[in-house]
Amino acid sequence: MSKPPISFEILSKDGETRAGLLTTRRGIIETPVFMPVGTAGTVKGMRFEVLEDELDARIILGNTYHLWLRPGVEVIRKCGGLHRFVGWERALLTDSGGFQVWSLGALRKITEEGTQFRSHLDGSLQFLSPEISMEVQAALGSEIVMAFDECAAGDAPPEVSRQSMELTARWASRSRARFDSLQSDSSDEGRTEATHEISGAQALFGIVQGGAHLDLRRESLNRTTEIGFDGYAIGGLSVGEEKGAMWRVVSDLAPALPAAQPRYLMGVGTPEDLVEAVAHGIDMFDCVLPTRNGRTGQAFTSRGKVNVKNAQWASDSMPLDDSCGCSVCKRYSRAYLRHLIVSGEMLASILLTHHNLAFFLDTMRRVRQSIRSGDFINFRREFTEGLNAYEQDKALSNT
Ligand SMILES: [Zn+2]
């Protein structure tokens, strides 16, 4: 039998919660893992050496849509793939572009063949299909490629969600077929030598859709696993549905995803969401929150989310989070960080993004440790209680 492109070993299991090792051709990733989002070939505000050396991020995400439009496939191919182009040596996961195109709303038109849309850069007419997405992701040379999917709005009625789910299933088959032919004709720019365990080829993940409708989700799961993928993602959540609907889908679907393969919850979420989803058996996450909020002056801390612009921090000499070991919290005070934000200094975004990513990655490290030591339930309770500390302080001071 031919070798798989990735291997996944579950080291500890506690109920549905699992801690494992995901071996890719560019490194071993401990799971559950949070993947920082590197939209256009950069995790905004972060140098890759800091992500590697201090934060020890093992895998980051790249966006097919953005990189395809700019700098374009030809530039990235000429530079030897995305790893070499951007200077990141570790693992990459690329999304398919389906979600970004979906987010363009009225600017897009979906047909059986694919999606036509206007570029957000220059308004030019563009067309993305499962085949084109697979070709772009081969040129990028990521370790994990995502199937091209269609996402229905979170509050879409059943008939709209059904059409979208069925289209996603047909596109998943086309993604699989084009992906396989690209792997056999050496179009993958990131290919490595095989090891005793893995093949050196790209891995392909399928995406389960179906909106907030559990029956559609189950049907999507069956159709996706029938095609067969190296890992499975839950897509189309955190897109405007109410929070309860998201958790109904995750708690029903996550334990039903194939147990021997990685399970990825796309685009979710806050620190408490990550811990909650881990409890339902999710292994992989990505979200723009730590980077995007870092740029708008919001920090995630062990005592909850804070707006660093608030006047209450103006002369506060404490670190952002005194239980955080990151280099920002070791050196800089809340007062200084607030001053940088209020003054519009670019260092503000850099330092807050750094801390936020450190907090997310450290939270996942603690999640993994607690699963391995059989203490996840206690960790989850204490962590979640901690996140409410600022809110409780506020409530007390108002009484
Ligand atoms: Zn910190």
mmCIF file of all heavy atoms in Angstrom, residues 183-220:
data_model
loop_
_atom_site.group_PDB
_atom_site.id
_atom_site.type_symbol
_atom_site.label_atom_id
_atom_site.label_comp_id
_atom_site.label_asym_id
_atom_site.label_seq_id
_atom_site.Cartn_x
_atom_site.Cartn_y
_atom_site.Cartn_z
ATOM 1 N N GLN A 183 -1.027 15.602 -8.194
ATOM 2 C CA GLN A 183 0.002 14.921 -7.408
ATOM 3 C C GLN A 183 0.816 13.981 -8.288
ATOM 4 O O GLN A 183 2.022 13.842 -8.116
ATOM 5 C CB GLN A 183 -0.620 14.131 -6.242
ATOM 6 C CG GLN A 183 -1.245 14.999 -5.159
ATOM 7 C CD GLN A 183 -0.279 16.015 -4.550
ATOM 8 O OE1 GLN A 183 0.789 15.669 -4.075
ATOM 9 N NE2 GLN A 183 -0.647 17.279 -4.588
ATOM 10 N N SER A 184 0.137 13.352 -9.274
ATOM 11 C CA SER A 184 0.884 12.388 -10.098
ATOM 12 C C SER A 184 1.697 13.088 -11.187
ATOM 13 O O SER A 184 2.629 12.496 -11.712
ATOM 14 C CB SER A 184 -0.054 11.329 -10.682
ATOM 15 O OG SER A 184 -1.089 11.960 -11.385
ATOM 16 N N ASP A 185 1.364 14.347 -11.523
ATOM 17 C CA ASP A 185 2.209 14.996 -12.549
ATOM 18 C C ASP A 185 3.182 16.023 -11.952
ATOM 19 O O ASP A 185 3.649 16.930 -12.626
ATOM 20 C CB ASP A 185 1.361 15.578 -13.695
ATOM 21 C CG ASP A 185 0.592 16.838 -13.284
ATOM 22 O OD1 ASP A 185 0.845 17.369 -12.184
ATOM 23 O OD2 ASP A 185 -0.265 17.281 -14.057
ATOM 24 N N SER A 186 3.497 15.890 -10.662
ATOM 25 C CA SER A 186 4.528 16.705 -9.978
ATOM 26 C C SER A 186 4.284 18.207 -10.037
ATOM 27 O O SER A 186 5.224 18.981 -10.173
ATOM 28 C CB SER A 186 5.921 16.445 -10.557
ATOM 29 O OG SER A 186 6.127 15.129 -10.822
ATOM 30 N N SER A 187 3.025 18.623 -9.948
ATOM 31 C CA SER A 187 2.742 20.067 -9.938
ATOM 32 C C SER A 187 2.908 20.664 -8.549
ATOM 33 O O SER A 187 2.866 21.877 -8.384
ATOM 34 C CB SER A 187 1.302 20.317 -10.392
ATOM 35 O OG SER A 187 1.150 19.915 -11.720
ATOM 36 N N ASP A 188 3.053 19.827 -7.544
ATOM 37 C CA ASP A 188 3.125 20.266 -6.144
ATOM 38 C C ASP A 188 4.512 20.856 -5.863
ATOM 39 O O ASP A 188 5.500 20.138 -5.836
ATOM 40 C CB ASP A 188 2.807 19.035 -5.274
ATOM 41 C CG ASP A 188 3.243 19.168 -3.831
ATOM 42 O OD1 ASP A 188 3.467 20.292 -3.366
ATOM 43 O OD2 ASP A 188 3.338 18.111 -3.163
ATOM 44 N N GLU A 189 4.545 22.181 -5.631
ATOM 45 C CA GLU A 189 5.832 22.883 -5.441
ATOM 46 C C GLU A 189 6.474 22.578 -4.096
ATOM 47 O O GLU A 189 7.635 22.903 -3.875
ATOM 48 C CB GLU A 189 5.626 24.403 -5.556
ATOM 49 C CG GLU A 189 5.363 24.907 -6.960
ATOM 50 C CD GLU A 189 6.584 24.801 -7.883
ATOM 51 O OE1 GLU A 189 7.719 24.688 -7.375
ATOM 52 O OE2 GLU A 189 6.379 24.818 -9.106
ATOM 53 N N GLY A 190 5.725 22.009 -3.179
ATOM 54 C CA GLY A 190 6.277 21.787 -1.846
ATOM 55 C C GLY A 190 6.723 20.354 -1.601
ATOM 56 O O GLY A 190 7.079 20.002 -0.472
ATOM 57 N N ARG A 191 6.714 19.538 -2.650
ATOM 58 C CA ARG A 191 6.980 18.108 -2.464
ATOM 59 C C ARG A 191 8.340 17.863 -1.793
ATOM 60 O O ARG A 191 9.300 18.566 -2.071
ATOM 61 C CB ARG A 191 6.946 17.389 -3.815
ATOM 62 C CG ARG A 191 6.911 15.905 -3.641
ATOM 63 C CD ARG A 191 6.599 15.159 -4.927
ATOM 64 N NE ARG A 191 6.545 13.749 -4.603
ATOM 65 C CZ ARG A 191 5.439 13.094 -4.303
ATOM 66 N NH1 ARG A 191 4.287 13.714 -4.356
ATOM 67 N NH2 ARG A 191 5.469 11.833 -3.968
ATOM 68 N N THR A 192 8.379 16.875 -0.915
ATOM 69 C CA THR A 192 9.647 16.499 -0.261
ATOM 70 C C THR A 192 9.900 15.011 -0.495
ATOM 71 O O THR A 192 9.045 14.305 -1.027
ATOM 72 C CB THR A 192 9.589 16.739 1.267
ATOM 73 O OG1 THR A 192 8.562 15.896 1.813
ATOM 74 C CG2 THR A 192 9.287 18.186 1.613
ATOM 75 N N GLU A 193 11.069 14.563 -0.080
ATOM 76 C CA GLU A 193 11.371 13.130 -0.122
ATOM 77 C C GLU A 193 10.436 12.394 0.840
ATOM 78 O O GLU A 193 10.083 12.931 1.887
ATOM 79 C CB GLU A 193 12.810 12.888 0.357
ATOM 80 C CG GLU A 193 13.886 13.458 -0.550
ATOM 81 C CD GLU A 193 13.966 12.715 -1.863
ATOM 82 O OE1 GLU A 193 13.929 11.461 -1.838
ATOM 83 O OE2 GLU A 193 14.034 13.378 -2.925
ATOM 84 N N ALA A 194 10.102 11.167 0.484
ATOM 85 C CA ALA A 194 9.291 10.353 1.395
ATOM 86 C C ALA A 194 10.134 9.955 2.608
ATOM 87 O O ALA A 194 11.363 9.907 2.532
ATOM 88 C CB ALA A 194 8.808 9.107 0.667
ATOM 89 N N THR A 195 9.485 9.729 3.733
ATOM 90 C CA THR A 195 10.176 9.160 4.891
ATOM 91 C C THR A 195 9.613 7.755 5.084
ATOM 92 O O THR A 195 8.778 7.310 4.299
ATOM 93 C CB THR A 195 9.899 9.982 6.168
ATOM 94 O OG1 THR A 195 8.498 9.850 6.469
ATOM 95 C CG2 THR A 195 10.231 11.444 5.959
ATOM 96 N N HIS A 196 10.040 7.086 6.139
ATOM 97 C CA HIS A 196 9.518 5.728 6.353
ATOM 98 C C HIS A 196 8.013 5.759 6.632
ATOM 99 O O HIS A 196 7.312 4.796 6.449
ATOM 100 C CB HIS A 196 10.275 5.024 7.483
ATOM 101 C CG HIS A 196 9.929 5.532 8.843
ATOM 102 N ND1 HIS A 196 10.414 6.720 9.331
ATOM 103 C CD2 HIS A 196 9.122 5.022 9.812
ATOM 104 C CE1 HIS A 196 9.934 6.924 10.544
ATOM 105 N NE2 HIS A 196 9.150 5.917 10.867
ATOM 106 N N GLU A 197 7.526 6.955 7.053
ATOM 107 C CA GLU A 197 6.145 7.039 7.506
ATOM 108 C C GLU A 197 5.214 7.666 6.467
ATOM 109 O O GLU A 197 4.075 7.242 6.302
ATOM 110 C CB GLU A 197 6.139 7.913 8.769
ATOM 111 C CG GLU A 197 5.080 7.571 9.761
ATOM 112 C CD GLU A 197 5.209 8.441 11.014
ATOM 113 O OE1 GLU A 197 6.256 9.104 11.207
ATOM 114 O OE2 GLU A 197 4.250 8.475 11.770
ATOM 115 N N ILE A 198 5.696 8.731 5.815
ATOM 116 C CA ILE A 198 4.816 9.503 4.909
ATOM 117 C C ILE A 198 5.441 9.689 3.529
ATOM 118 O O ILE A 198 6.648 9.541 3.352
ATOM 119 C CB ILE A 198 4.431 10.868 5.527
ATOM 120 C CG1 ILE A 198 5.672 11.686 5.860
ATOM 121 C CG2 ILE A 198 3.541 10.682 6.732
ATOM 122 C CD1 ILE A 198 5.365 13.108 6.294
ATOM 123 N N SER A 199 4.555 10.071 2.571
ATOM 124 C CA SER A 199 4.951 10.018 1.156
ATOM 125 C C SER A 199 5.691 11.240 0.627
ATOM 126 O O SER A 199 6.324 11.167 -0.416
ATOM 127 C CB SER A 199 3.690 9.828 0.315
ATOM 128 O OG SER A 199 2.873 10.992 0.424
ATOM 129 N N GLY A 200 5.572 12.397 1.311
ATOM 130 C CA GLY A 200 6.160 13.628 0.772
ATOM 131 C C GLY A 200 5.210 14.394 -0.135
ATOM 132 O O GLY A 200 5.550 15.459 -0.648
ATOM 133 N N ALA A 201 3.999 13.862 -0.336
ATOM 134 C CA ALA A 201 2.996 14.537 -1.169
ATOM 135 C C ALA A 201 2.121 15.457 -0.316
ATOM 136 O O ALA A 201 2.231 15.479 0.912
ATOM 137 C CB ALA A 201 2.137 13.494 -1.876
ATOM 138 N N GLN A 202 1.231 16.216 -0.979
ATOM 139 C CA GLN A 202 0.272 17.049 -0.255
ATOM 140 C C GLN A 202 -0.858 16.187 0.289
ATOM 141 O O GLN A 202 -1.192 15.159 -0.288
ATOM 142 C CB GLN A 202 -0.339 18.098 -1.197
ATOM 143 C CG GLN A 202 0.616 19.218 -1.596
ATOM 144 C CD GLN A 202 -0.061 20.245 -2.484
ATOM 145 O OE1 GLN A 202 -0.506 19.919 -3.571
ATOM 146 N NE2 GLN A 202 -0.120 21.490 -2.034
ATOM 147 N N ALA A 203 -1.471 16.647 1.372
ATOM 148 C CA ALA A 203 -2.675 15.994 1.907
ATOM 149 C C ALA A 203 -3.892 16.821 1.499
ATOM 150 O O ALA A 203 -3.783 18.035 1.325
ATOM 151 C CB ALA A 203 -2.587 15.919 3.434
ATOM 152 N N LEU A 204 -5.029 16.164 1.354
ATOM 153 C CA LEU A 204 -6.265 16.865 0.982
ATOM 154 C C LEU A 204 -7.344 16.608 2.042
ATOM 155 O O LEU A 204 -7.617 15.456 2.388
ATOM 156 C CB LEU A 204 -6.745 16.366 -0.389
ATOM 157 C CG LEU A 204 -8.047 16.981 -0.931
ATOM 158 C CD1 LEU A 204 -7.909 18.487 -1.141
ATOM 159 C CD2 LEU A 204 -8.450 16.309 -2.248
ATOM 160 N N PHE A 205 -7.922 17.703 2.547
ATOM 161 C CA PHE A 205 -9.002 17.597 3.540
ATOM 162 C C PHE A 205 -10.342 17.910 2.875
ATOM 163 O O PHE A 205 -10.433 18.821 2.061
ATOM 164 C CB PHE A 205 -8.804 18.615 4.681
ATOM 165 C CG PHE A 205 -7.812 18.193 5.754
ATOM 166 C CD1 PHE A 205 -6.828 17.246 5.501
ATOM 167 C CD2 PHE A 205 -7.867 18.772 7.021
ATOM 168 C CE1 PHE A 205 -5.914 16.867 6.492
ATOM 169 C CE2 PHE A 205 -6.964 18.407 8.022
ATOM 170 C CZ PHE A 205 -5.992 17.455 7.752
ATOM 171 N N GLY A 206 -11.364 17.156 3.268
ATOM 172 C CA GLY A 206 -12.723 17.433 2.820
ATOM 173 C C GLY A 206 -13.438 18.327 3.826
ATOM 174 O O GLY A 206 -13.053 18.388 4.997
ATOM 175 N N ILE A 207 -14.490 19.009 3.370
ATOM 176 C CA ILE A 207 -15.214 19.947 4.232
ATOM 177 C C ILE A 207 -16.695 19.557 4.320
ATOM 178 O O ILE A 207 -17.355 19.375 3.298
ATOM 179 C CB ILE A 207 -15.093 21.393 3.708
ATOM 180 C CG1 ILE A 207 -13.617 21.778 3.560
ATOM 181 C CG2 ILE A 207 -15.823 22.359 4.641
ATOM 182 C CD1 ILE A 207 -13.391 23.160 2.963
ATOM 183 N N VAL A 208 -17.174 19.420 5.546
ATOM 184 C CA VAL A 208 -18.581 19.093 5.774
ATOM 185 C C VAL A 208 -19.369 20.396 5.898
ATOM 186 O O VAL A 208 -19.031 21.265 6.706
ATOM 187 C CB VAL A 208 -18.734 18.241 7.054
ATOM 188 C CG1 VAL A 208 -20.199 17.951 7.332
ATOM 189 C CG2 VAL A 208 -17.933 16.943 6.925
ATOM 190 N N GLN A 209 -20.419 20.537 5.076
ATOM 191 C CA GLN A 209 -21.268 21.728 5.107
ATOM 192 C C GLN A 209 -22.688 21.323 5.520
ATOM 193 O O GLN A 209 -22.899 20.207 5.975
ATOM 194 C CB GLN A 209 -21.252 22.418 3.727
ATOM 195 C CG GLN A 209 -19.923 23.109 3.400
ATOM 196 C CD GLN A 209 -19.733 24.424 4.162
ATOM 197 O OE1 GLN A 209 -20.594 24.858 4.937
ATOM 198 N NE2 GLN A 209 -18.580 25.061 3.962
ATOM 199 N N GLY A 210 -23.643 22.215 5.326
ATOM 200 C CA GLY A 210 -25.030 21.890 5.672
ATOM 201 C C GLY A 210 -25.663 22.876 6.636
ATOM 202 O O GLY A 210 -26.734 22.598 7.186
ATOM 203 N N GLY A 211 -25.008 24.029 6.830
ATOM 204 C CA GLY A 211 -25.580 25.083 7.664
ATOM 205 C C GLY A 211 -25.865 24.608 9.071
ATOM 206 O O GLY A 211 -25.106 23.833 9.654
ATOM 207 N N ALA A 212 -26.997 25.071 9.614
ATOM 208 C CA ALA A 212 -27.345 24.744 10.996
ATOM 209 C C ALA A 212 -28.222 23.492 11.071
ATOM 210 O O ALA A 212 -28.754 23.168 12.131
ATOM 211 C CB ALA A 212 -28.059 25.926 11.635
ATOM 212 N N HIS A 213 -28.387 22.787 9.935
ATOM 213 C CA HIS A 213 -29.326 21.665 9.871
ATOM 214 C C HIS A 213 -28.597 20.337 10.090
ATOM 215 O O HIS A 213 -27.799 19.918 9.252
ATOM 216 C CB HIS A 213 -30.038 21.674 8.517
ATOM 217 C CG HIS A 213 -30.558 23.041 8.176
ATOM 218 N ND1 HIS A 213 -31.674 23.583 8.788
ATOM 219 C CD2 HIS A 213 -30.081 24.001 7.346
ATOM 220 C CE1 HIS A 213 -31.865 24.811 8.325
ATOM 221 N NE2 HIS A 213 -30.914 25.086 7.452
ATOM 222 N N LEU A 214 -28.903 19.683 11.195
ATOM 223 C CA LEU A 214 -28.146 18.488 11.574
ATOM 224 C C LEU A 214 -28.300 17.364 10.559
ATOM 225 O O LEU A 214 -27.347 16.637 10.277
ATOM 226 C CB LEU A 214 -28.572 18.000 12.965
ATOM 227 C CG LEU A 214 -28.274 18.959 14.125
ATOM 228 C CD1 LEU A 214 -28.658 18.322 15.455
ATOM 229 C CD2 LEU A 214 -26.808 19.380 14.149
ATOM 230 N N ASP A 215 -29.515 17.207 9.974
ATOM 231 C CA ASP A 215 -29.698 16.128 8.986
ATOM 232 C C ASP A 215 -28.836 16.376 7.752
ATOM 233 O O ASP A 215 -28.230 15.454 7.215
ATOM 234 C CB ASP A 215 -31.189 15.989 8.613
ATOM 235 C CG ASP A 215 -31.809 17.298 8.167
ATOM 236 O OD1 ASP A 215 -31.287 18.376 8.549
ATOM 237 O OD2 ASP A 215 -32.796 17.268 7.416
ATOM 238 N N LEU A 216 -28.770 17.642 7.326
ATOM 239 C CA LEU A 216 -27.934 17.967 6.166
ATOM 240 C C LEU A 216 -26.456 17.771 6.491
ATOM 241 O O LEU A 216 -25.682 17.309 5.660
ATOM 242 C CB LEU A 216 -28.172 19.414 5.716
ATOM 243 C CG LEU A 216 -29.560 19.737 5.176
ATOM 244 C CD1 LEU A 216 -29.636 21.202 4.756
ATOM 245 C CD2 LEU A 216 -29.891 18.834 3.988
ATOM 246 N N ARG A 217 -26.076 18.133 7.699
ATOM 247 C CA ARG A 217 -24.691 17.943 8.124
ATOM 248 C C ARG A 217 -24.307 16.465 8.081
ATOM 249 O O ARG A 217 -23.237 16.094 7.612
ATOM 250 C CB ARG A 217 -24.497 18.482 9.548
ATOM 251 C CG ARG A 217 -24.494 19.989 9.641
ATOM 252 C CD ARG A 217 -23.133 20.538 9.267
ATOM 253 N NE ARG A 217 -23.117 21.994 9.243
ATOM 254 C CZ ARG A 217 -22.039 22.719 8.920
ATOM 255 N NH1 ARG A 217 -20.898 22.117 8.609
ATOM 256 N NH2 ARG A 217 -22.083 24.019 8.886
ATOM 257 N N ARG A 218 -25.198 15.600 8.593
ATOM 258 C CA ARG A 218 -24.920 14.158 8.591
ATOM 259 C C ARG A 218 -24.802 13.639 7.161
ATOM 260 O O ARG A 218 -23.947 12.817 6.852
ATOM 261 C CB ARG A 218 -26.022 13.407 9.341
ATOM 262 C CG ARG A 218 -25.957 13.578 10.848
ATOM 263 C CD ARG A 218 -24.692 12.910 11.372
ATOM 264 N NE ARG A 218 -24.596 13.023 12.823
ATOM 265 C CZ ARG A 218 -24.355 11.990 13.631
ATOM 266 N NH1 ARG A 218 -24.179 10.778 13.150
ATOM 267 N NH2 ARG A 218 -24.252 12.187 14.932
ATOM 268 N N GLU A 219 -25.704 14.123 6.284
ATOM 269 C CA GLU A 219 -25.661 13.676 4.894
ATOM 270 C C GLU A 219 -24.357 14.141 4.226
ATOM 271 O O GLU A 219 -23.703 13.387 3.503
ATOM 272 C CB GLU A 219 -26.880 14.232 4.142
ATOM 273 C CG GLU A 219 -27.032 13.613 2.775
ATOM 274 C CD GLU A 219 -28.288 14.108 2.053
ATOM 275 O OE1 GLU A 219 -29.274 14.494 2.731
ATOM 276 O OE2 GLU A 219 -28.262 14.125 0.804
ATOM 277 N N SER A 220 -23.981 15.383 4.520
ATOM 278 C CA SER A 220 -22.737 15.922 3.977
ATOM 279 C C SER A 220 -21.542 15.101 4.472
ATOM 280 O O SER A 220 -20.622 14.790 3.706
ATOM 281 C CB SER A 220 -22.583 17.383 4.393
ATOM 282 O OG SER A 220 -21.369 17.911 3.931
#
